[in-house]
C-alpha cells in the first residue's frame, strides 16, 4: 500500500496500521509519486493532504501521481483536511480549501476505473492524535459504502442531496439599478444569456470580462455581408489573394465573435441595463487588478461577481498532461483568485460561482474539470463564512444546450438520460435563485429534467456474448510498433472497428458487414510497460431494423485478476446483400482551395507519429478550412500485420480508415495549430466487401470546428470516382498537448 507522506506523522501512523493488517506500507512524498517506479504488487494508493493549505501544484501532483500509480491498484483513497464534512459543517474561513479538489479526482476515477474501489475521505482536525486519525482512515478505507465519507472524532458522516423547490415568488432583490456586477466568461454563449437575464431583472451596470477583443464598428463593406462564403471571399480579396486560408478562417471567426459580443451588449442595453466590455485574461492577476481598479474608480464599487469562465480539455486520467490541467484548472480557480484579489470582497452583495455537476458526481474524461469545480464549491463555502452579508452560491450546473456541448456530447447525454438546460431556462433560474432570500444554500445542483430512459436504447451493462478472445502484444501484433503514443503502443481506432466487425459477423453467420452506427471509443487500449492484454470482443444477435440487421458489439480487456474494462462499443450493421453505392457527395474542389506544402516523407517525419505499417498517404491533393483530400494506400493482407490473423482478408480496410483519421490530424495542425485524435463515428457504410488493392482517394469535409474538437464527413472513392465507403459524424479531439505525445513515438521499455 503506497501512502503519500506530506503529513509524515499521519502517514507513518497509517503505515503502522496497515502493516498490522498484513500489508506492506510504502511511504513517498506526493511530488515524487509520478517519478518513482511503483511496486509490481501495488494494491492500494492513499493520498493524504497535509493539514496546512495546499496549492494548485499539489493537486496537479495528485492527478499525475494517481495516473502513475494506477496500474494494478485495487483501491484508491484520497484524504482532504477541510472539516470532516467536506466543508459543509465547520470550514475554517481563513484556510484555502484547495485540497477539496481531491474528491473530484476520486469521483472521476470511480467512473473511469470501475475495477478500482474509490474513497474520498475528509478528515476533521479534532482527533486527539495522529494514531486516532489513522485508525479512522484505515477502518473506513476497507469498508464498502458511500464514495464520500467525512471522518471526525465524533463519528462519520456522508453527503445527501435534497430536492429543494424555488420560492413561488421573489422575496427580495440583492442588487439595485445601476450597481456594478462583474461577469467573467465573456459576452458569448451561456454567460451572455445569464447577463441578459440579470439585466432584465435588476437593471445593473454589467461589466463583462472576456478574452475576445472588444468589438469595433464594422466597416461599411462588411456590414451588409452575412454568409460565411461572402465574408471569406471579401476578406481574401482585400488581402490581394495573399492571405492563407487559415488566416482568412481566423479573421472570419473574429468577425463572428465580435458580432456575437456586440449583439449581447445590445441585448443588455435593450433590457434596460448598462453594458461594458473589457478584454482581459482573468488568470493574469495584475491585469485583472488594473481592470477592476478602473471600474471602481470610473463607475463605483462592485456589488456582484458572476464567475462563469471555464474551458474543457477532455481526456481520461491516464492520458491527462500537466499542461491540460494548468489550462482547465487555472481558468476556473486561478481566475477566481485573481477576481477576488482585484476587487474589495466586503463590497459584494452577490457572489455566484459557475461550478459543474461534474464536480459533484465526477465524469469520465473530465478529471481536471471535476477537481477545479470541487475547489470552486469549497471556495464558496469559505467565502460564505467570510462574507455573511453576501449571497454566495456555487451552482453545480448540469450540461447546457449550447456552449461547450457538441452534437456528439448531446447524443451521449441523451443516451445517459441526462437532460440539457435551455439557455433561457438556466438564466431565468439563476435570477430566481438570487431573488429567493429564504434559501442560503451555498452548493446547489441545477439539472434539467431527465430524458425518460425507457425511451432510449439501454447501453449494455453486462458483457455481451464473447465472439472471440486474443492476447494483444507487440510480438504477435507487430503493427502496434507503428502506433506508439507517449512511448506506449496503442491499438488504432480503425483496428478496433475491424475487430468489432469481425465479432458481429462471427456471431451472425450468413450476414455481410455493411457498416456501423454510434461507434464510440470510451477508453484507449494501451499496452503499459509492454505488458500483454487479454482482449475480448463481444457481440449480440442481430435484430432486423430499417437500417438492416443490427448487432450490438463491444471490446473489453481483462486483467490477470479478472477485472474488465470496457473500451469501445458500437452497433454493427449487417446485410444479406450489400446495396449499390450511392453517388458521392464530396469532391476535392469543394473542400480544398490550397496546395499542401509537405511530401509524405516530410509528413511522417515532422507531423504525424505513425510508423511504417501505417504510413499510407501517397499524395495530399489539397486542403483548406473546409477539409482535405489525398490519395492513399490500402492495407496489405492481415498476415502482413498480425502473426496469427483472425481472417485472411479484411472486413474493412484498417489502413485506409486510419489514414482518413491522419488527414484530420493534418487538417487540425494547419487550421487550428494543434494535433487531434479520433473518438467517435456517428455512421459508417461500406459498399464493397474489400477496398480496391490499388488504393483510394479520401475526401474529408469538415462540418463543424471549435477550439477543442471538430466534426467531419469522409468519403473513400476508387480510381473511377465510385464510392467505396462513407463515414458521417466523425469527431476528433483537438489538443496542443498531443504534440508531446506524438514526439514520443518510440516504444519505452521499462
Amino acid at each position: 500500500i503506497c501512502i503519500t507522506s506530506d503529513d509524515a506523522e499521519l502517514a507513518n501512523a497509517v503505515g503502522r496500521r496497515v502493516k498490522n493488517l498484513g500489508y506492506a506500507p510504502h511511504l513517498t512524498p506526493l511530488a515524487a509519486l509520478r517519478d518513482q517506479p511503483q511496486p509490481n504488487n501495488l494494491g492500494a494508493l492513499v493520498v493524504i493532504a497535509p493539514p496546512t493549505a495546499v496549492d494548485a501544484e499539489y493537486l496537479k501532483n495528485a492527478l499525475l501521481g494517481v495516473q502513475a500509480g494506477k496500474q494494478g491498484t485495487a483501491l484508491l483513497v484520497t484524504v482532504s483536511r477541510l472539516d470532516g464534512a467536506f466543508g459543509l459543517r465547520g470550514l475554517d474561513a481563513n484556510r484555502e480549501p484547495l485540497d477539496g479538489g481531491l474528491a473530484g479526482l476520486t469521483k472521476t476515477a470511480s467512473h473511469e476505473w470501475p475495477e478500482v474501489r474509490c474513497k474520498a475521505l475528509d478528515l476533521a482536525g479534532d482527533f486527539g492524535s495522529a494514531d486516532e486519525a489513522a485508525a479512522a482512515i484505515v477502518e473506513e478505507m476497507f469498508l464498502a459504502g458511500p464514495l464520500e465519507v467525512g471522518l471526525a472524532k465524533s463519528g462519520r458522516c456522508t453527503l445527501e442531496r435534497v430536492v429543494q423547490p424555488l420560492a413561488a415568488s421573489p422575496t427580495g432583490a440583492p442588487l439595485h439599478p445601476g450597481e456594478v456586477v462583474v461577469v467573467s466568461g465573456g459576452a458569448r454563449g451561456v454567460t451572455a444569456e445569464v447577463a441578459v437575464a440579470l439585466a432584465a431583472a435588476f437593471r445593473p451596470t454589467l461589466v463583462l470580462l472576456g478574452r475576445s477583443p472588444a468589438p469595433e464598428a464594422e466597416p461599411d463593406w462588411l456590414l451588409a455581408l452575412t454568409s460565411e462564403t461572402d465574408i471569406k471571399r471579401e476578406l481574401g480579396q482585400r488581402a490581394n489573394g495573399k492571405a492563407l486560408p487559415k488566416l482568412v478562417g481566423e479573421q472570419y471567426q473574429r468577425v463572428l465573435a465580435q458580432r456575437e459580443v456586440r449583439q449581447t451588449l445590445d441585448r443588455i442595453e435593450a433590457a434596460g441595463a448598462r453594458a461594458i466590455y473589457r478584454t482581459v485574461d482573468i488568470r493574469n492577476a495584475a491585469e485583472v487588478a488594473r481592470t477592476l481598479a478602473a471600474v471602481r474608480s470610473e463607475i463605483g464599487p462592485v456589488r456582484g461577481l458572476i464567475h462563469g469562465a471555464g474551458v474543457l480539455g477532455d481526456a481520461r486520467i491516464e492520458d491527462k498532461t500537466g499542461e491540460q490541467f494548468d489550462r482547465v484548472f487555472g481558468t476556473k480557480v486561478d481566475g477566481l483568485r485573481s477576481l477576488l484579489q482585484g476587487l474589495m470582497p466586503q463590497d459584494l452583495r452577490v457572489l455566484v460561482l459557475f461550478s459543474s455537476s461534474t464536480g459533484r458526481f465526477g465524469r469520465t474524461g473530465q478529471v481536471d474539470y471535476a477537481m477545479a469545480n470541487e475547489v470552486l464549491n469549497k471556495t464558496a463555502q469559505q467565502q460564505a463564512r467570510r462574507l455573511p452579508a453576501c449571497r454566495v452560491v456555487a451552482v453545480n450546473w448540469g450540461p447546457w444546450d449550447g456552449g461547450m456541448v457538441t452534437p456528439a456530447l448531446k447524443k451521449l447525454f441523451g443516451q445517459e438520460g441526462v437532460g440539457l438546460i435551455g439557455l433561457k431556462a438556466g438564466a431565468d433560474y439563476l435570477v430566481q435563485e438570487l431573488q429567493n432570500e429564504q434559501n442560503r444554500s451555498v452548493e446547489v445542483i441545477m439539472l434539467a429534467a431527465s430524458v425518460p430512459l425507457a425511451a432510449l436504447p439501454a447501453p449494455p451493462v453486462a458483457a455481451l456474448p464473447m465472439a472471440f478472445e486474443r492476447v494483444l502484444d507487440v510480438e504477435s501484433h507487430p503493427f502496434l510498433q507503428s502506433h506508439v503514443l507517449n512511448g506506449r503502443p496503442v491499438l488504432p481506432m480503425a483496428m478496433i472497428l475491424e475487430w468489432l466487425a469481425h465479432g458481429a459477423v462471427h456471431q451472425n453467420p450468413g450476414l455481410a458487414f455493411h457498416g456501423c452506427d454510434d461507434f464510440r471509443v470510451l477508453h484507449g487500449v494501451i499496452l503499459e510497460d509492454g505488458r500483454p492484454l487479454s482482449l475480448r470482443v463481444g457481440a449480440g444477435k442481430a435484430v432486423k431494423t430499417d437500417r438492416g440487421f443490427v448487432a450490438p458489439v463491444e471490446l473489453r480487456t481483462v486483467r490477470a485478476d479478472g477485472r474488465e474494462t470496457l473500451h469501445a462499443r458500437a452497433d454493427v450493421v449487417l446485410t444479406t446483400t450489400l446495396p449499390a453505392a450511392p453517388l458521392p457527395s464530396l469532391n476535392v474542389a469543394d473542400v480544398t482551395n490550397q496546395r499542401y506544402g509537405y511530401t509524405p516523407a516530410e509528413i511522417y517525419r515532422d507531423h504525424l507519429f505513425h510508423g511504417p505499417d501505417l504510413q499510407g498517404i501517397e499524395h495530399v491533393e489539397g486542403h483548406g478550412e473546409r477539409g482535405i483530400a489525398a490519395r492513399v494506400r490500402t492495407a496489405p493482407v492481415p498476415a502482413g500485420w498480425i502473426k496469427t490473423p483472425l481472417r485472411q482478408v479484411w472486413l474493412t480496410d484498417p489502413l485506409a480508415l486510419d489514414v482518413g483519421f491522419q488527414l484530420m490530424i493534418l487538417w487540425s495542425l494547419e487550421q487550428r495549430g494543434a494535433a487531434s485524435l479520433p473518438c467517435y463515428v456517428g455512421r459508417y457504410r461500406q459498399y464493397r466487401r474489400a477496398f480496391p488493392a490499388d488504393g483510394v482517394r479520401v475526401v474529408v469535409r469538415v462540418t463543424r470546428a471549435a477550439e477543442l474538437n471538430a466534426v467531419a464527413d469522409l468519403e473513400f472513392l476508387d480510381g473511377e470516382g465510385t464510392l467505396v465507403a462513407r463515414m458521417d459524424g466523425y469527431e476528433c479531439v483537438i489538443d496542443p498537448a498531443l504534440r508531446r505525445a506524438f514526439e514520443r513515438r518510440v516504444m519505452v521499455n521499462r
Side-chain angles (χ1 to χ4, degrees):
I1 295 180
C2 183
I3 306 161
T4 63
S5 59
D6 300 85
D7 182 342
E9 185 180 11
L10 181 55
N12 277 294
V14 171
R16 289 192 297 271
R17 290 270 173 177
V18 299
K19 187 174 183 179
N20 290 339
L21 294 174
Y23 300 99
H26 172 70
L27 273 62
T28 180
L30 177 64
L33 186 60
R34 59 174 169 170
D35 299 320
Q36 292 183 352
Q38 301 303 315
N40 291 329
N41 58 346
L42 180 65
L45 177 59
V46 184
V47 178
I48 303 176
T52 55
V54 302
D55 56 14
E57 192 68 18
Y58 177 88
L59 286 184
K60 180 164 67 172
N61 285 333
L63 168 58
L64 298 177
V66 167
Q67 180 186 79
K70 187 259 180 177
Q71 191 65 34
T73 302
L75 176 63
L76 170 65
V77 179
T78 59
V79 183
S80 55
R81 311 291 285 271
L82 299 175
D83 60 356
F86 297 94
L88 297 172
R89 180 179 289 161
L91 183 69
D92 182 354
N94 295 313
R95 181 185 184 275
E96 291 296 328
L98 266 69
D99 53 316
L102 290 174
L105 167 59
T106 314
K107 286 183 281 190
T108 301
S110 72
H111 287 278
E112 296 191 12
W113 302 336
E115 71 277 13
V116 177
R117 177 175 291 176
C118 298
K119 282 269 187 174
L121 307 181
D122 185 47
L123 186 68
D126 62 350
F127 287 96
S129 66
D131 192 62
E132 284 185 11
I137 291 171
V138 173
E139 181 179 12
E140 182 61 40
M141 65 187 270
F142 289 109
L143 293 177
L147 175 59
E148 296 171 277
V149 178
L151 302 176
K153 189 174 182 178
S154 57
R156 296 177 177 85
C157 70
T158 189
L159 305 180
E160 181 179 340
R161 295 188 299 277
V162 178
V163 177
Q164 191 174 47
L166 288 169
S169 59
T171 57
L175 298 166
H176 303 306
E179 291 186 329
V180 178
V181 176
V182 172
V183 181
S184 74
R188 304 166 63 194
V190 169
T191 50
E193 291 298 323
V194 168
V196 172
L198 292 172
F202 305 120
R203 307 290 196 273
T205 296
L206 287 163
V207 179
L208 283 70
L209 308 181
R211 292 178 297 175
S212 300
E216 301 173 350
E218 288 188 353
D220 293 340
W221 63 264
L222 184 57
L223 284 172
L225 302 180
T226 56
S227 75
E228 177 180 351
T229 301
D230 291 343
I231 294 173
K232 286 184 175 178
R233 182 187 300 114
E234 188 66 24
L235 288 170
Q237 290 176 354
R238 289 181 177 272
N240 297 320
K242 296 180 180 179
L244 296 174
K246 178 181 178 182
L247 180 59
V248 171
E250 291 171 350
Q251 291 174 340
Y252 171 72
Q253 292 299 325
R254 282 196 292 272
V255 169
L256 290 188
Q258 294 227 330
R259 285 184 173 182
E260 191 173 352
V261 171
R262 194 179 297 107
Q263 182 184 36
T264 298
L265 300 180
D266 290 344
R267 291 173 66 197
I268 290 172
E269 298 280 355
R274 182 183 176 191
I276 300 170
Y277 183 84
R278 293 287 183 266
T279 302
V280 63
D281 180 355
I282 62 168
R283 295 173 298 177
N284 186 323
E287 189 178 334
V288 170
R290 287 192 298 270
T291 301
L292 294 182
V295 168
R296 290 196 304 273
S297 174
E298 297 167 13
I299 309 171
V302 177
R303 297 301 186 191
L305 173 60
I306 315 293
H307 180 42
V311 296
L312 290 176
D314 287 10
R316 296 182 67 91
I317 291 173
E318 52 264 46
D319 297 323
K320 278 288 179 185
T321 66
E323 292 86 349
Q324 288 173 323
F325 177 90
D326 290 340
R327 185 170 69 250
V328 173
F329 191 88
T331 302
K332 280 281 185 186
V333 179
D334 294 342
L336 175 60
R337 184 181 294 109
S338 296
L339 291 165
L340 290 175
Q341 289 174 351
L343 50 77
M344 295 182 177
Q346 65 272 17
D347 291 339
L348 289 174
R349 286 203 295 270
V350 168
L351 174 57
V352 178
L353 307 183
F354 276 30
S355 184
S356 170
S357 58
T358 293
R360 174 88 315 268
F361 304 115
R363 183 170 183 82
T364 296
Q366 295 187 344
V367 62
D368 42 12
Y369 199 62
M371 296 170 76
N373 283 297
E374 273 289 67
V375 172
L376 252 61
N377 291 332
K378 306 316 165 188
T379 302
Q381 296 285 356
Q382 175 204 54
Q383 293 298 318
R385 289 161 174 77
R386 287 182 176 179
L387 307 170
C390 179
R391 173 70 174 104
V392 180
V393 60
V395 183
N396 289 248
W397 297 104
W400 290 68
D401 191 4
M404 295 182 285
V405 177
T406 66
L409 272 177
K410 187 178 293 189
K411 185 172 183 178
L412 178 60
F413 286 130
Q415 291 173 335
E416 294 174 352
V418 177
L420 298 179
I421 301 170
L423 291 175
K424 186 177 186 306
D428 289 346
Y429 150 74
L430 184 59
V431 169
Q432 291 177 274
E433 183 72 42
L434 295 179
Q435 289 174 329
N436 182 3
E437 289 185 337
Q438 298 173 355
N439 177 25
R440 305 294 288 184
S441 298
V442 177
E443 295 182 56
V444 177
I445 306 166
M446 171 59 180
L447 302 172
S450 299
V451 179
L453 288 173
L456 298 165
V461 178
L464 293 168
M466 188 171 68
F468 68 88
E469 182 176 21
R470 65 188 299 123
V471 174
L472 186 70
D473 57 28
V474 173
E475 289 70 31
S476 58
H477 300 78
F479 74 91
L480 290 171
Q481 297 178 80
S482 292
H483 202 257
V484 174
L485 278 164
N486 263 335
R488 302 174 297 177
V490 179
L491 186 65
M493 184 172 172
M495 185 58 75
I496 293 176
L497 177 57
E498 172 70 25
W499 283 344
L500 292 178
H502 175 84
V505 170
H506 180 81
Q507 295 288 74
N508 296 276
L511 296 175
F513 174 72
H514 181 35
C516 72
D517 292 331
D518 200 22
F519 172 31
R520 190 181 305 277
V521 174
L522 305 167
H523 183 186
V525 182
I526 303 170
L527 295 183
E528 300 283 357
D529 300 330
R531 288 194 290 266
L533 282 173
S534 178
L535 183 148
R536 292 178 182 172
V537 169
K541 288 299 180 183
V543 176
K544 186 170 178 54
T545 71
D546 56 356
R547 294 177 286 169
F549 293 91
V550 178
V553 290
E554 65 182 23
L555 183 147
R556 297 174 182 254
T557 57
V558 185
R559 291 167 44 165
D561 59 6
R563 287 177 290 179
E564 296 186 353
T565 299
L566 176 63
H567 291 272
R569 62 186 178 211
D571 289 334
V572 167
V573 179
L574 306 170
T575 183
T576 53
T577 305
L578 287 174
L583 293 174
S585 60
L586 309 180
N587 64 71
V588 176
D590 288 342
V591 301
T592 68
N593 57 8
Q594 184 183 0
R595 188 180 69 84
Y596 191 72
Y598 301 99
T599 66
E602 292 169 332
I603 288 170
Y604 288 111
R605 184 191 66 200
D606 301 329
H607 302 291
L608 299 180
F609 65 92
H610 303 75
D613 284 339
L614 292 172
Q615 293 180 359
I617 297 175
E618 293 182 328
H619 171 62
V620 178
E621 297 178 288
H623 73 108
E625 187 174 351
R626 292 177 177 272
I628 188 169
R631 291 285 309 178
V632 310
R633 285 188 287 275
T634 47
V637 295
W641 280 8
I642 304 170
K643 288 188 176 179
T644 309
L646 294 168
R647 306 169 62 89
Q648 299 307 308
V649 294
W650 301 112
L651 288 169
T652 64
D653 191 287
L655 179 57
L657 296 185
D658 193 86
V659 173
F661 305 159
Q662 294 174 32
L663 293 178
M664 275 302 295
I665 298 176
L666 298 182
W667 179 89
S668 67
L669 286 170
E670 289 290 327
Q671 300 297 325
R672 293 293 182 268
S676 62
L677 285 179
C679 60
Y680 178 78
V681 173
R683 184 179 187 272
Y684 173 72
R685 292 294 184 270
Q686 189 172 308
Y687 300 97
R688 300 186 190 182
R689 289 184 177 268
F691 275 51
D694 58 350
V696 291
R697 167 181 279 162
V698 183
V699 183
V700 181
R701 178 179 62 193
V702 177
T703 58
R704 184 179 184 276
E707 181 182 359
L708 299 175
N709 78 314
V711 180
D713 300 332
L714 294 80
E715 288 188 344
F716 301 82
L717 312 171
D718 67 12
E720 303 299 321
T722 303
L723 189 66
V724 176
R726 178 181 170 90
M727 186 176 288
D728 296 297
Y730 163 91
E731 186 167 337
C732 61
V733 176
I734 301 173
D735 190 344
L738 287 171
R739 184 174 295 277
R740 189 178 69 175
F742 281 21
E743 290 170 351
R744 299 185 64 207
R745 67 181 78 183
V746 178
M747 285 180 56
V748 176
N749 295 312
R750 297 184 176 89

